[in-house]
Amino acid sequence: MVVDAKELEIINTLVFETLGNPEKEREFKLKSLKKWGFDLIFGKVDGKETYFTVEIDTKKAGDKFERDEKEYEVIEVLEELPKNTELYAHIEMNMGVAYIVCELRDEDNKNIEVLRVPAGSLLMAFFKKNKLSNLIKTIKNIGISSEFFMQNGAGGKPYSYEELPNVARRFVRSVRKVEKETGFGRLAFAYYGETKDGEPRYWLSWLLPTIALFDLDIAKKANQTLGILKIKE
């Protein structure tokens, strides 16, 4: 049977999947909100006591301001979550755009939304602030899951897993460890060997849950994993 180049590529591209739905919601600490660049405020909105967020270190107790045609008053800049509440964040999609939405949740499961911003903008700022250069270079799109894409050199016949060099196998193992923490992931990986100058030739697409990438520990591990392979500048 004659196999053309396209079919050969499809058959031999390695796919590793951690089954399940991408995580949409995750619990975070107040320090995470601050790492994203926001203070949690107890105050008033149009005269009603509630909670909201402002850019970090921009407001203090007693400040009053307008935003989105509403009157805000800062009573206290919080250094810990309100008693009997937890902070959750999830991803919502609206007309093809991902938003991160943060809510305070009390013991009666009542939610107060305190933040809603485009996930892509906040995630990129988070990556830049923490110098996660490999994530910045390779991220391609952001939804409920985020895709990282890398390509180096020309194609050819992809190697089988048994033919992979140690560095490529180490990359795959590291991917699987990250996905074990996130509970979801999908890696498509085609490795073609090296050029005569020792340059690796490959392409890969890696999906991870977007909300998990706002966890600095997971983001650092994903960044380190992508750094195992040479990333073309």
Side-chain angles (χ1 to χ4, degrees):
M1 181 177 65
V2 178
V3 180
D4 62 25
K6 179 67 174 179
E7 186 175 350
L8 191 65
E9 177 86 6
I10 293 172
I11 292 172
N12 288 283
T13 295
L14 303 175
V15 176
F16 302 90
E17 295 178 308
T18 300
L19 299 178
N21 294 319
E23 180 184 22
K24 291 184 179 181
E25 183 178 74
R26 176 176 284 249
E27 183 180 357
F28 290 93
K29 302 297 184 183
L30 182 59
K31 64 181 181 181
S32 293
L33 192 64
K34 289 183 177 292
K35 287 178 181 178
W36 303 339
F38 296 94
D39 278 326
L40 180 63
I41 304 296
F42 172 64
K44 294 180 180 179
V45 179
D46 288 340
K48 182 180 179 181
E49 290 188 349
T50 188
Y51 299 93
F52 54 91
T53 55
V54 297
E55 291 186 12
I56 196 165
D57 296 331
T58 60
K59 304 295 180 185
K60 62 183 184 301
D63 285 351
K64 296 180 180 180
F65 61 97
E66 290 187 13
R67 187 171 69 188
D68 299 328
E69 300 182 348
K70 294 182 179 180
E71 297 284 344
Y72 288 78
E73 179 181 348
V74 178
I75 296 175
E76 183 182 359
V77 180
L78 299 177
E79 295 302 326
E80 58 184 30
L81 291 176
K83 187 178 180 180
N84 298 324
T85 65
E86 296 172 326
L87 178 68
Y88 284 88
H90 66 272
I91 301 297
E92 288 186 12
M93 300 299 299
N94 183 15
M95 299 300 291
V97 178
Y99 289 81
I100 181 170
V101 180
C102 297
E103 297 172 321
L104 286 179
R105 185 172 301 164
D106 65 19
E107 53 193 352
D108 296 322
N109 283 325
K110 180 182 177 181
N111 293 319
I112 299 176
E113 183 177 310
V114 295
L115 180 70
R116 178 184 293 265
V117 294
S121 299
L122 187 56
L123 196 60
M124 289 300 289
F126 183 57
F127 289 167
K128 290 175 182 176
K129 179 181 179 181
N130 292 284
K131 298 180 173 58
L132 303 175
S133 59
N134 295 329
L135 297 181
I136 294 169
K137 291 174 186 175
T138 60
I139 195 162
K140 296 295 289 183
N141 51 73
I142 295 173
I144 298 297
S145 61
S146 291
E147 180 186 16
F148 299 90
F149 182 84
M150 294 166 56
Q151 184 170 3
N152 203 53
K157 179 183 176 182
Y159 281 27
S160 68
Y161 182 79
E162 290 72 24
E163 295 172 315
L164 292 178
N166 287 336
V167 66
R169 290 194 186 196
R170 183 158 61 90
F171 168 72
V172 171
R173 289 196 299 269
S174 187
V175 164
R176 303 308 298 276
K177 287 181 181 178
V178 173
E179 291 180 4
K180 187 175 181 180
E181 286 195 49
T182 62
F184 168 85
R186 185 182 192 274
L187 172 69
F189 183 36
Y191 187 88
Y192 307 108
E194 297 182 349
T195 67
K196 60 182 180 181
D197 298 320
E199 289 285 320
R201 297 180 298 123
Y202 64 85
W203 73 261
L204 67 90
S205 171
W206 188 22
L207 297 179
L208 286 173
T210 298
I211 197 64
L213 293 166
F214 284 96
D215 183 315
L216 184 56
D217 182 58
I218 290 176
K220 284 182 176 179
K221 290 176 181 178
N223 187 69
Q224 292 167 356
T225 296
L226 290 167
I228 293 172
L229 295 174
K230 179 181 175 63
I231 299 178
K232 189 174 182 180
E233 298 290 342

